[in-house]
Amino acid sequence: MEAITFNIDNGYLDGIVRGFKGGILSISNYLNLTQCETLDDLKLQLAATDYGNFLQNEPSPLATTTITERAREKLVAEFQYIRQNAGPELAKFLDYITYSYMIDNIILLITGTLHERDTHELLERCHPLGMFDSIAALCVATNVQELFNTVLVETPIAPYFEKCLSAHDLDEMNIEIIRNTLYKAYLEDFYEYTQTLGPTTAEVMGEILKFEADRRVINITINSFGTELSKDDRAKLFPTCGRLFPDGTFRLAKADDQDQVRLAVELYSEYRKFFDQGPGTERSLEDHFFEYEVYLNKRAFLQQFHYGVFYAFLKLKEQEIRNIVWIAECIAQQQKERINDYIPIF
Amino acid sequence: MALYGSTYAGYGFGTLVTVVIAYGILDLIVNGRWFNIAYLIETPSPYFWASMGIGLCIGLSVIGAAWGILLTGVSIVGAAVKTPRIRTKNLISIIFCEVVAIYGLIVAIVFSSKLSNAIPVSGWSREALYAGYAMFWAGLTVGMANLACGVCVGVVGSSCALADAADPQLFVKVLVIEIFGSIIGLFGLIVGLLMTGRVTPFK
């Protein structure tokens, strides 16, 4: 029944987002880009696509960081347009998407404060989608505990801190563990929320978020080999909303090397493929994850009248920016052997 | 009831049930009968039934058409921002929804031409009773069919606009689906006219 009421609040923005999705670079665009010799050629080629004249005002020796910044600005502007025009349910959904960027920004600022970096430089490096009003105050507080009591309780992600950490833990735990615990709480909360938004959204976003959870489980496992993270602590960082929970996560918590990881995911056909390295293919695990994420996000556009398209659009554009930066770096450093290692989207 | 309580549908449903039960109790106390349906149906004059039928016919048809236009219109506007070429072609979807309202209008006009002044001499005549009941249920038939048709054409029209924006070759294919959806309203129109075909104006 959502087909007859979804368009009342979200029909216009659904059309807009699908228009944006139509402007995502296709394989023929990428072929043109990979054949550029200099970054100025790249700029010309991009001017013919949906990006238009976004690099118009840049001085002539173009740097790849400039391209990244301008592309991200364009994406943020599009996202903000959708957010400004959104009805109440969509606004809440889009806010949930921005919480992950907020977590990244907060961890960045806490780390920077601990290493006594310049506050303005840190604020400039924050992701624009994850800004909130009192973020500058994070640099002023001297003690991390004070940070939580004064600044973080007012942010929308305060519940994620409360759920997993008591206030004095913020000093003792490793920053990465804090980041992963926060992200676990956020992911589970987001998953629960998407299951209440109607059957189509629940199905589409459920698939995407389950894969996100499983991806984090596998990455945490592999990254913790050889560190002093105990197996119990590792198990506490695994999000529980994925396919791997509970059997896969139980086995991955006890894994010690890559082979045991492969054994643990044997039963999950979607993920087994990532670990089978055929001869001659050199896609790393990260590349496989990106490819599968692109596949799931493309599928979101095959259904109508659900909120998943907004999330999928944001993630596909981010992947596109990563691709453009990869190609630009290969061109700038004149190392064109691996230039075709981008992930094609459409 | 607690489940529905917090939505408009909940308020409406709760009010309706309360009113019905209150009427039943009142009727029992005053007249000594409990939910006498036959009395409820026979007492109002055929004018009431016929006029109610005409009102439902045009009212529900217009609701269906409006719903369809709202569903399609926002998608056309949203998709046309990035692909302006779809603007004119997709107005056909809006026209299909509008046609649904016109079906309702036609039937309402035809029915209202069968109403005329008549004074009951000794009770209502058979033809008058038949006219009243037939027009009520025919009007309801046409109205409900057009409601469903309008919503259907609206949903398909929305998908048509988005598909056309993505790939121009899909437009005609999805339009065929819309045409099939639009036939539902026509079915309602035909049945409604058949039901009242033998109605003579009130004598």
Side-chain angles (χ1 to χ4, degrees), chain A residues 11 13-14 42 53 117 163 168 202 242 256 260 299 309 334:
Chain A
L13 291 171
D14 191 17
L42 194 81
N53 296 330
R117 295 273 163 80
K163 229 182 271 190
H168 61 260
D256 281 318
Q260 287 186 5
R299 270 185 7 172
V309 287
Q334 294 295 325

Short mmCIF file of all heavy atoms in Angstrom, two decimals, chain A residues 11 13-14 42 53 117 163 168 202 242 256 260 299 309 334:
data_model
loop_
_atom_site.label_atom_id
_atom_site.label_comp_id
_atom_site.label_asym_id
_atom_site.label_seq_id
_atom_site.Cartn_x
_atom_site.Cartn_y
_atom_site.Cartn_z
N GLY A 11 7.43 12.02 -3.80
CA GLY A 11 7.44 11.75 -5.23
C GLY A 11 8.41 12.64 -5.99
O GLY A 11 9.17 12.18 -6.83
N LEU A 13 11.08 14.27 -4.89
CA LEU A 13 12.48 13.99 -4.61
C LEU A 13 12.91 12.65 -5.19
O LEU A 13 14.07 12.47 -5.56
CB LEU A 13 12.73 14.04 -3.11
CG LEU A 13 12.60 15.46 -2.57
CD1 LEU A 13 12.64 15.46 -1.06
CD2 LEU A 13 13.71 16.33 -3.11
N ASP A 14 11.98 11.70 -5.26
CA ASP A 14 12.28 10.42 -5.92
C ASP A 14 12.66 10.68 -7.37
O ASP A 14 13.67 10.16 -7.87
CB ASP A 14 11.03 9.53 -5.83
CG ASP A 14 11.32 8.10 -6.23
OD1 ASP A 14 12.50 7.72 -6.26
OD2 ASP A 14 10.38 7.35 -6.51
N LEU A 42 41.33 15.54 -18.46
CA LEU A 42 40.31 14.95 -17.58
C LEU A 42 39.22 15.98 -17.31
O LEU A 42 38.02 15.69 -17.35
CB LEU A 42 40.96 14.51 -16.28
CG LEU A 42 40.13 13.60 -15.39
CD1 LEU A 42 40.23 12.19 -15.87
CD2 LEU A 42 40.61 13.69 -13.95
N ASN A 53 30.84 22.31 -15.42
CA ASN A 53 32.00 23.18 -15.21
C ASN A 53 32.40 23.30 -13.76
O ASN A 53 32.69 24.38 -13.27
CB ASN A 53 31.68 24.57 -15.76
CG ASN A 53 31.48 24.51 -17.25
OD1 ASN A 53 32.06 23.68 -17.91
ND2 ASN A 53 30.62 25.38 -17.76
N ARG A 117 46.59 19.07 17.54
CA ARG A 117 46.65 19.70 16.21
C ARG A 117 45.89 21.02 16.24
O ARG A 117 45.12 21.28 17.16
CB ARG A 117 46.00 18.80 15.16
CG ARG A 117 46.70 17.50 14.94
CD ARG A 117 47.81 17.64 13.92
NE ARG A 117 48.71 16.53 14.00
CZ ARG A 117 48.49 15.33 13.45
NH1 ARG A 117 47.38 15.15 12.75
NH2 ARG A 117 49.35 14.37 13.57
N LYS A 163 25.03 3.82 25.09
CA LYS A 163 24.74 2.39 25.08
C LYS A 163 25.97 1.57 25.34
O LYS A 163 25.91 0.48 25.89
CB LYS A 163 24.15 2.01 23.70
CG LYS A 163 22.90 1.21 23.79
CD LYS A 163 22.40 0.83 22.40
CE LYS A 163 21.48 1.90 21.88
NZ LYS A 163 20.79 1.48 20.65
N HIS A 168 33.91 7.28 31.76
CA HIS A 168 35.35 7.29 31.97
C HIS A 168 36.09 6.38 30.99
O HIS A 168 37.28 6.46 30.87
CB HIS A 168 35.71 6.93 33.42
CG HIS A 168 35.25 5.55 33.80
ND1 HIS A 168 34.11 5.34 34.52
CD2 HIS A 168 35.77 4.33 33.56
CE1 HIS A 168 33.96 4.04 34.72
NE2 HIS A 168 34.95 3.41 34.14
N ALA A 202 12.30 -1.83 3.85
CA ALA A 202 12.89 -2.81 4.75
C ALA A 202 13.71 -3.83 3.97
O ALA A 202 14.83 -4.17 4.36
CB ALA A 202 11.80 -3.51 5.56
N GLY A 242 23.88 -8.49 10.67
CA GLY A 242 24.26 -9.02 9.37
C GLY A 242 23.87 -10.47 9.21
O GLY A 242 23.28 -11.09 10.07
N ASP A 256 42.18 -17.09 13.66
CA ASP A 256 43.54 -16.60 13.89
C ASP A 256 44.25 -16.21 12.61
O ASP A 256 45.27 -15.54 12.67
CB ASP A 256 44.39 -17.69 14.56
CG ASP A 256 44.10 -17.76 16.04
OD1 ASP A 256 43.97 -16.67 16.63
OD2 ASP A 256 43.97 -18.86 16.55
N GLN A 260 41.27 -19.51 8.37
CA GLN A 260 40.11 -19.75 9.24
C GLN A 260 38.99 -18.79 8.90
O GLN A 260 37.82 -19.13 9.02
CB GLN A 260 40.53 -19.58 10.70
CG GLN A 260 41.37 -20.73 11.16
CD GLN A 260 41.66 -20.65 12.64
OE1 GLN A 260 41.15 -19.77 13.33
NE2 GLN A 260 42.46 -21.56 13.13
N ARG A 299 20.74 -2.29 -7.39
CA ARG A 299 19.44 -2.99 -7.31
C ARG A 299 18.38 -2.14 -6.64
O ARG A 299 17.19 -2.34 -6.87
CB ARG A 299 19.61 -4.29 -6.53
CG ARG A 299 19.95 -5.43 -7.43
CD ARG A 299 20.02 -6.76 -6.76
NE ARG A 299 19.59 -6.79 -5.40
CZ ARG A 299 19.46 -7.93 -4.75
NH1 ARG A 299 19.69 -9.06 -5.37
NH2 ARG A 299 19.11 -7.93 -3.49
N VAL A 309 16.45 4.43 -2.40
CA VAL A 309 17.11 5.09 -3.53
C VAL A 309 17.97 6.25 -3.07
O VAL A 309 19.00 6.55 -3.67
CB VAL A 309 16.10 5.60 -4.58
CG1 VAL A 309 15.51 4.46 -5.36
CG2 VAL A 309 15.03 6.42 -3.97
N GLN A 334 51.45 9.25 -13.88
CA GLN A 334 51.86 8.59 -15.12
C GLN A 334 52.07 7.10 -14.92
O GLN A 334 52.99 6.52 -15.47
CB GLN A 334 53.14 9.24 -15.68
CG GLN A 334 52.92 10.66 -16.13
CD GLN A 334 51.97 10.73 -17.32
OE1 GLN A 334 51.96 9.86 -18.16
NE2 GLN A 334 51.15 11.77 -17.37
#
